[in-house]
Amino acid sequence: MIQYIKITNFGPIRDQVELSFEAMDVDGSPVYEVEMPDGRKLLKLAYIYGPNASGKTTVLRAIDFLRSLWLDPLYNKDHELQYDPFLFRSDPENNPSSIELAFYVDNTRHIYTVTFFKRSVQSEKMVVYRTHQPSELFSRTTDMEKRLSHVDFGTTFKGKATELSALETATLHNNTVLGAFQKINVDLPVFEQLNRWGKGFFSQMIDETVELSDLTAYRITQDPVFANWMNTFLNKADPNLRGVLVKAEKSAGRQISFLHSLDGNEVYSLPLAKESSGSTRYFGLGGVLYRLLTQSSFACIDELGTSLHPDLMKYYLQLFLLNSQQSQLVFTTHSLFLLEEQDFIRKDALWFTEKGSNGQVSLFSAADFDSSKLRKGGSLINAYKSGRLGAKPNLGSPYLKLE
């Protein structure tokens, strides 16, 4: 699980922002929490609100960027890292960017820090807390002129010298050490543990470009247990919907149909293309939810509420909170409906983004506000609508002069 992520100089984020999953709201619902062996309580869920272009999606993109640094390394030395630094300054590409991630692998806390430019990874470091004191797994520096990396391994790190040398050689200037491990055939159990965790835990960020329906349909054809679960999942949302039929055709790929039962008698098959956008969206998100419920994993979803009725969105989140073990979900939304649910939402799980007059994004939690802005038990929706929590569009008068 993730404890926190800190992001600096990434897109519209200039100064460091932190998204923390550490529980802070002592009065919050305990179904949000997972207690780690060291006593820390981590949250399963984080919501991010904010106006358009306020940086909500950027936070998710930074997490996904870190995933790609670990799991999808560049293979060409001349390729640049796929991100932009904060551009509203005179020399944007000469200022380093950084991400720091605190996370648990097999219940052991790790902290990873990476500093980078578009053209190179400048430095990185991984420490592990096997006791109360940290021990260094590795650190890396890069000669930016020669484009050569040097990796130092901690004194407690176990591995053959030839294999450690091979890993250092594979660490191109635009790769991370963890990314380099993806490309070589060496026996380094510590790196294999981190690699297995990363591949099992992280999934690609979900936005409007990700085709969820086809991914969910493919899994239905591969896993009968999942197929049965999906039928029940969809029927809960629509009692007339009895299931999904997926046929693989050589010429047309997978054909997806929903089976509708009318008046409890005849069953009719309707192609997915004829279904509502809400039904299609919910079907695709079902595959994401199943993964979160059946393995320790992490999902980033941009605009979770798109095409979903607010009650269905809340039901989806309840399913996740009540049935997941050590999974986490972070999503952006504009749906104010959730802010009305005082018995459901937690202040420490509620985050806001706001862009200042200098173009810089800030990220803050509802748990950060004192009683003058948000009194204990006070209405979140009223505080937000009145502007006491910020992160609202400043639209002004709807009258515009046309001349």
Side-chain angles (χ1 to χ4, degrees), residues 108-371:
T108 302
R109 184 167 176 255
H110 296 64
I111 297 180
Y112 174 77
T113 306
V114 58
T115 303
F116 50 92
F117 296 89
K118 284 182 70 71
R119 58 190 180 275
S120 291
V121 175
Q122 183 184 48
S123 64
E124 56 183 316
K125 183 177 182 180
M126 178 81 76
V127 299
V128 58
Y129 287 79
R130 297 191 180 95
T131 65
H132 290 296
Q133 296 299 319
S135 59
E136 184 177 299
L137 286 180
F138 67 86
S139 61
R140 170 269 187 87
T141 56
T142 303
D143 185 321
M144 305 294 280
E145 294 298 323
K146 295 181 179 179
R147 303 201 306 177
L148 293 175
S149 301
H150 175 69
V151 183
D152 286 314
F153 297 93
T155 56
T156 61
F157 192 95
K158 295 180 181 180
K160 294 180 181 179
T162 54
E163 295 184 325
L164 297 179
S165 177
L167 181 58
E168 181 180 39
T169 300
T171 305
L172 303 181
H173 70 101
N174 55 359
N175 286 180
T176 61
V177 178
L178 292 167
F181 181 75
Q182 306 289 324
K183 304 186 292 186
I184 58 174
N185 182 30
V186 294
D187 181 19
L188 295 171
V190 170
F191 278 90
E192 183 57 37
Q193 180 191 38
L194 289 167
N195 183 54
R196 279 199 314 270
W197 176 81
K199 287 187 173 180
F201 190 70
F202 287 109
S203 56
Q204 181 184 356
M205 172 186 162
I206 297 166
D207 59 17
E208 67 280 0
T209 66
V210 178
E211 179 46 66
L212 290 176
S213 295
D214 196 57
L215 292 172
T216 299
Y218 173 75
R219 185 159 191 173
I220 287 174
T221 64
Q222 303 298 308
D223 186 350
V225 175
F226 172 62
N228 290 332
W229 183 89
M230 274 298 303
N231 289 340
T232 303
F233 172 73
L234 293 171
N235 181 253
K236 289 279 189 178
D238 181 356
N240 291 328
L241 188 55
R242 295 303 177 188
V244 181
L245 182 64
V246 180
K247 293 182 178 180
E249 298 182 1
K250 293 182 179 180
S251 60
R254 278 179 289 276
Q255 299 297 307
I256 308 169
S257 300
F258 282 13
L259 304 178
H260 295 264
S261 175
L262 304 183
D263 298 324
N265 297 315
E266 294 189 66
V267 175
Y268 296 89
S269 174
L270 196 65
L272 185 67
K274 300 294 184 182
E275 295 288 344
S276 70
S277 58
S279 295
T280 302
R281 172 80 166 165
Y282 197 63
F283 170 69
L285 288 171
V288 179
L289 179 61
Y290 187 79
R291 185 174 188 267
L292 291 168
L293 301 187
T294 55
Q295 68 183 82
S296 177
S297 55
F298 184 91
C300 293
I301 304 178
D302 196 25
E303 301 297 349
L304 174 64
T306 299
S307 300
L308 297 183
H309 188 279
D311 286 340
L312 195 57
M313 180 180 173
K314 180 183 176 182
Y315 178 68
Y316 185 92
L317 297 174
Q318 287 175 320
L319 284 175
F320 167 69
L321 287 171
L322 293 172
N323 297 282
S324 61
Q325 299 301 315
Q326 290 197 2
S327 291
Q328 290 171 299
L329 169 62
V330 56
F331 66 90
T332 67
T333 183
H334 290 111
S335 175
L336 299 184
F337 171 82
L338 289 174
L339 298 182
E340 299 174 348
E341 302 291 307
Q342 292 287 112
D343 61 336
F344 177 71
I345 200 166
R346 284 180 58 130
K347 289 189 294 184
D348 51 0
L350 176 59
W351 293 81
F352 302 98
T353 54
E354 193 169 61
K355 184 179 287 186
S357 58
N358 60 358
Q360 163 176 248
V361 166
S362 57
L363 174 68
F364 48 94
S365 167
D368 295 336
F369 291 95
D370 60 27
S371 58

Side-chain angles (χ1 to χ4, degrees), residues 379-390:
S379 169
L380 286 169
I381 185 66
N382 289 342
Y384 181 71
K385 285 184 174 180
S386 67
R388 296 201 304 273
L389 305 183

Side-chain angles (χ1 to χ4, degrees), residues 65 68-69 72-85 93 116-121 147 173-175:
F65 176 78
S68 68
L69 284 181
D72 298 311
L74 298 174
Y75 279 77
N76 190 313
K77 294 179 70 172
D78 295 323
H79 287 172
E80 293 187 339
L81 301 179
Q82 297 302 301
Y83 86 104
D84 284 313
E93 296 193 3
F116 50 92
F117 296 89
K118 284 182 70 71
R119 58 190 180 275
S120 291
V121 175
R147 303 201 306 177
H173 70 101
N174 55 359
N175 286 180

